[in-house]
Amino acid sequence: MKIGLAEAEKAVHEGNAPFACIVTDQEGIIVLKEHDRVNEYMDPTAHGEVNAIRILCKKLNTLSLRGYTFYTTSEPCPGCMASMIKARVAQVYYGAKTELTASLPIAAEAIAEQAKKYPIAVAGGILADECLEQRTRLLT
């Protein structure tokens, strides 16, 4: 998660929001570091998780990221959760919970419970205080 916090700082320096996604393969090796690029791409769907899915699926020439794990600094939004489920991501670990003022405040765990065809494991609270502090400090 500390690598994700550094990636989120990079996002802000590039004019984007402080959200990051780190992806590891089945052996736990980092295969991609990505972040929010909404402002950069002028695309409201260019969240770190969605960007990572697009990059990896194209690079690996597959629609399935089965066996890959995503680490995100904030709880994935419903759109990102749906994208990870469609891409068959095995699991996602996140830092801070999404604020109650989020665009669509539905818990990632609640969405994962509904994923019957392509299940995804979700666990939050990893370095939650640090992730929340960063998000609060940089989202000004």
Side-chain angles (χ1 to χ4, degrees):
M1 196 59 69
K2 290 188 182 213
I3 295 168
L5 288 166
E7 186 70 20
E9 293 277 347
K10 180 179 175 184
V12 171
H13 291 296
E14 294 178 2
N16 296 292
F19 302 107
C21 178
I22 307 301
V23 183
T24 62
D25 65 12
Q26 297 86 337
E27 287 80 42
I29 297 167
I30 294 173
V31 296
L32 185 67
K33 295 185 277 189
E34 189 51 52
H35 57 266
D36 179 281
R37 295 181 186 275
V38 169
N39 294 330
E40 179 182 346
Y41 293 170
M42 293 306 292
D43 177 355
T45 69
H47 292 189
E49 300 93 329
V50 172
N51 297 336
I53 290 166
R54 290 173 177 159
I55 291 166
L56 283 175
C57 285
K58 188 168 187 160
K59 177 181 176 182
L60 301 171
N61 195 34
T62 184
L63 297 176
S64 174
L65 298 177
R66 187 175 314 222
Y68 288 85
T69 300
F70 283 41
Y71 296 84
T72 63
T73 54
S74 283
E75 180 178 17
C77 74
C80 289
M81 280 300 297
S83 297
M84 287 187 285
I85 290 166
K86 286 295 286 182
R88 303 177 191 174
V89 171
Q91 51 199 356
V92 58
Y93 295 99
Y94 67 86
K97 289 290 286 176
T98 301
E99 299 172 22
L100 294 177
T101 57
S103 301
L104 190 56
I106 301 171
E109 293 84 355
I111 295 169
E113 288 174 9
Q114 301 303 312
K116 306 301 183 209
K117 186 173 182 182
Y118 306 125
I120 183 170
V122 178
I126 297 146
L127 296 180
D129 291 340
E130 293 92 328
C131 292
L132 181 59
E133 183 281 324
Q134 180 188 60
R135 184 175 70 200
T136 302
R137 177 173 44 86
L138 297 175
L139 272 179
T140 54

